[in-house]
Amino acid sequence: MAREKGVVLLDFWVSPFGQRVRIALAEKGVDYEYKEQDLINKSEHLLKSNPVYKKIPVLLRDGKPISESLIIVQYIDEVWSNKAPLLPAEPLARANARFWADFIDKKVYECGTRLWKLVGEEQEAAKKEFIEIFKLLQGELGDRKFFGGETFGFLDLALVPFVAWFYAYETFAKFSMDEECPKIVAWAKRCMERESVSKTLSDPNKVYEFVLFLKKKFGVEY
Amino acid sequence: MAAGKGVKLYGMWASPAVRRVEWALKKKGIKYEYIEEDLSNKSFELLQYNPITKQVPVLVHDGKPVMESLVILEYIDEVWKGNPILPKDAYERAKAQFWASFSEDKCRDAVRKVYFAEEEDTKMKAMEHLMEIIRVIDQELKGKKFFGGESIGYLDLVFGWMAFWLGIAEEVASFKVVDSKKFPNFTSWINNFINDPLIRGNLPPRDKTLEFFRNFRKLHLASCK
């Protein structure tokens, strides 16, 4: 892999948003410096690079920062356009990919968080919503190999990091993604055959431990 | 459904997201058919084109739908090359997209918190937060007539809702954050924006909009109790 000058990623190991960027960089064969961030005591570097949101991931290229994972991925796709195109070429297909990526951004993480933060009836409601969200995504996938069609692309990358969280969600909210959305689980397995994905996604057991740590921190019964 | 040729826009007269798309279409000189939706009784066509979020705006181009106003803006820009909306440079575009997401997430959220606040305490805190946000925007506009420089660009279309609908929110929910002394650049921008020929003829009538949002706020607050 050619070492690209001055590409730095400020990230947090388990963040699905950061992982989107890592997968994109891996797909493109871009070498970069990974800088793990402490999200409780945020570094000067992070605060200067993303003063508006103070969040990871932040990609810096020759010192110039870009924030928001999907924006970063689109930037990467454009700059390193010679390899592994992520967004489709055709405007309507691009618009469709952006729409669904926006849908994922608005719904998946927030609903997933409610699965472990809430209990009882509220958790049941969150579970129903979570399954509904993935059933819609399953409908969009249809019988295709990837959301991008025959090739792994932008939308696959936008969703796949959340797959590592399925085990934690299933365990805490008591349901099975394999039963509820088998096509999504099959799609996830296909994605994991790609090195960029399998080397990036967190071990589901580690994610489970992390969520357990968050539950203790927020005083949620477990 | 037969795929008709041309451009259709499904919208609602009071919606800022819909107007945003109309301003973009006008800037590009794209002819379109506008279809007004009654959101309490959505049309069969709207639900067919957008079964996922069931919202307006929906742009239908040669029978194919595109949803989400920011996605529509990028689509329009990619299909009709004249009068470009987004910056050409990848880094500048990423910066513009970032500010767009700031408008949609942080700004909208901050306005909503004041708009729906019922207790004085909550309202005051929410107002302070909103003014911090406006301060950030004010800084971005320093030395510029528009975000786009001398003429309206992408971020003006994105932030355009604040030039009109923030004033509506202020009147409906009885608060004031748009202060020309505190935020001189932001206040000038509002005036430049609403008086620009691209925008001037394409804003909803003020009285009707006030009434609409008064009702909307009342219903929302009632449903929360």
Side-chain angles (χ1 to χ4, degrees):
Chain A
M1 274 195 296
R3 177 168 282 277
E4 290 291 329
K5 232 182 178 185
V7 180
V8 175
L9 177 64
L10 308 182
D11 202 352
F12 183 65
W13 69 278
V14 77
S15 162
F17 304 98
Q19 286 170 358
R20 286 167 168 175
V21 178
R22 283 178 251 163
I23 293 170
L25 289 165
E27 286 283 322
K28 297 286 188 178
V30 175
D31 218 346
Y32 61 98
E33 189 186 348
Y34 177 93
K35 290 193 171 170
E36 179 73 10
Q37 298 298 298
D38 178 347
L39 297 185
I40 298 172
N41 295 306
K42 292 178 180 176
S43 69
E44 267 307 300
H45 196 182
L46 175 60
L47 297 175
K48 271 207 183 121
S49 304
N50 188 359
V52 175
Y53 290 109
K54 306 177 175 61
K55 282 199 223 171
I56 56 92
V58 181
L59 187 85
L60 294 116
R61 190 171 173 231
D62 299 335
K64 294 206 278 195
I66 302 148
S67 309
E68 296 298 296
S69 61
L70 294 179
I71 294 174
I72 299 171
V73 169
Q74 287 181 79
Y75 172 79
I76 289 169
D77 200 29
E78 240 182 281
V79 171
W80 289 280
S81 55
N82 54 322
K83 192 180 172 194
L86 297 170
L87 270 165
E90 202 263 314
L92 193 66
R94 291 162 77 84
N96 195 49
R98 287 189 178 118
F99 168 78
W100 282 102
D102 181 65
F103 175 84
I104 291 165
D105 254 7
K106 284 186 175 125
K107 305 268 185 185
V108 174
Y109 191 70
E110 190 276 328
C111 190
T113 301
R114 276 187 280 136
L115 286 178
W116 61 260
K117 250 190 176 169
L118 304 172
V119 290
E121 261 177 48
E122 286 182 305
Q123 189 190 46
E124 272 304 302
K127 179 168 80 184
K128 277 202 176 89
E129 214 185 302
F130 190 83
I131 292 167
E132 229 174 87
I133 290 166
F134 275 90
K135 281 202 151 90
L136 281 172
L137 287 163
Q138 192 168 247
E140 174 59 18
L141 177 67
D143 289 312
R144 289 177 297 173
K145 191 174 177 192
F146 297 111
F147 284 95
E150 274 304 300
T151 48
F152 180 85
F154 182 72
L155 197 43
D156 302 281
L157 177 161
L159 184 61
V160 81
F162 296 101
V163 167
W165 293 67
F166 283 176
Y167 173 62
Y169 293 152
E170 288 168 320
T171 311
F172 291 121
K174 297 185 183 44
F175 68 105
S176 157
M177 279 303 280
D178 202 13
E179 272 172 34
E180 300 288 347
C181 301
K183 281 187 174 166
I184 290 287
V185 173
W187 159 83
K189 288 198 173 99
R190 290 193 290 274
C191 290
M192 287 295 279
E193 286 166 8
R194 298 183 80 75
E195 207 178 297
S196 64
V197 178
S198 61
K199 287 207 159 148
T200 300
L201 260 51
S202 301
D203 181 329
N205 289 306
K206 293 216 166 93
V207 175
Y208 175 80
E209 292 296 327
F210 178 73
V211 175
L212 208 57
F213 158 77
L214 289 177
K215 276 166 87 73
K216 284 183 193 163
K217 187 175 172 201
F218 285 98
V220 184
E221 62 183 65
Y222 56 94
Chain B
M1 230 175 339
K5 282 246 160 219
V7 180
K8 286 194 208 179
L9 177 66
Y10 288 80
M12 198 278 284
W13 66 271
S15 158
V18 171
R19 292 285 167 168
R20 179 189 279 163
V21 173
E22 291 197 271
W23 299 330
L25 288 167
K26 201 167 163 196
K27 186 169 160 64
K28 291 282 206 182
I30 299 166
K31 287 198 166 73
Y32 64 98
E33 182 194 341
Y34 177 81
I35 295 133
E36 177 71 19
E37 280 287 327
D38 173 357
L39 297 184
S40 62
N41 186 17
K42 291 172 184 176
S43 73
F44 173 76
E45 287 81 12
L46 176 65
L47 298 174
Q48 282 274 82
Y49 283 131
N50 186 5
I52 307 297
T53 65
K54 304 178 177 63
Q55 283 172 351
V56 291
V58 178
L59 187 88
V60 180
H61 181 209
D62 294 344
K64 303 265 170 67
V66 184
M67 288 87 71
E68 289 302 309
S69 62
L70 293 186
V71 175
I72 296 173
L73 254 54
E74 292 212 43
Y75 174 79
I76 290 172
D77 212 30
E78 283 174 15
V79 174
W80 287 274
K81 302 279 185 201
N83 291 322
I85 296 176
L86 279 111
K88 286 232 178 292
D89 174 72
Y91 182 70
E92 290 303 314
R93 182 136 19 110
K95 259 187 10 191
Q97 288 169 328
F98 172 81
W99 284 109
S101 90
F102 176 76
S103 156
E104 298 308 89
D105 301 332
K106 236 177 177 182
C107 298
R108 283 272 173 102
D109 204 46
V111 174
R112 257 189 221 120
K113 284 203 164 89
V114 186
Y115 184 67
F116 289 120
E118 289 189 277
E119 286 168 33
E120 254 331 284
D121 225 27
T122 322
K123 199 171 182 179
M124 286 313 296
K125 280 203 183 103
M127 272 178 68
E128 273 169 37
H129 176 64
L130 177 55
M131 286 196 284
E132 279 309 308
I133 302 242
I134 295 176
R135 188 163 293 121
V136 173
I137 301 171
D138 191 70
Q139 300 269 57
E140 275 303 301
L141 283 165
K142 209 171 183 181
K144 293 193 242 181
K145 185 179 181 191
F146 295 109
F147 286 100
E150 273 310 301
S151 59
I152 286 181
Y154 176 67
L155 286 179
D156 301 284
L157 299 180
V158 170
F159 280 94
W161 66 274
M162 293 188 97
F164 182 78
W165 283 267
L166 177 54
I168 299 285
E170 283 179 308
E171 199 167 323
V172 167
S174 308
F175 68 95
K176 186 153 172 68
V177 289
V178 183
D179 182 326
S180 61
K181 288 208 180 80
K182 287 193 182 128
F183 313 119
N185 308 305
F186 182 63
T187 314
S188 309
W189 171 79
I190 289 176
N191 278 315
N192 291 331
F193 186 81
I194 58 175
N195 286 304
D196 189 275
L198 182 73
I199 308 299
R200 201 169 43 214
N202 209 336
L203 285 170
R206 195 180 163 79
D207 287 340
K208 206 175 164 199
T209 313
L210 281 167
E211 192 193 330
F212 177 87
F213 281 100
R214 269 196 194 105
N215 275 325
F216 178 77
R217 182 172 180 267
K218 215 191 283 178
L219 286 169
H220 178 94
L221 292 174
S223 75
C224 290
K225 296 202 156 92

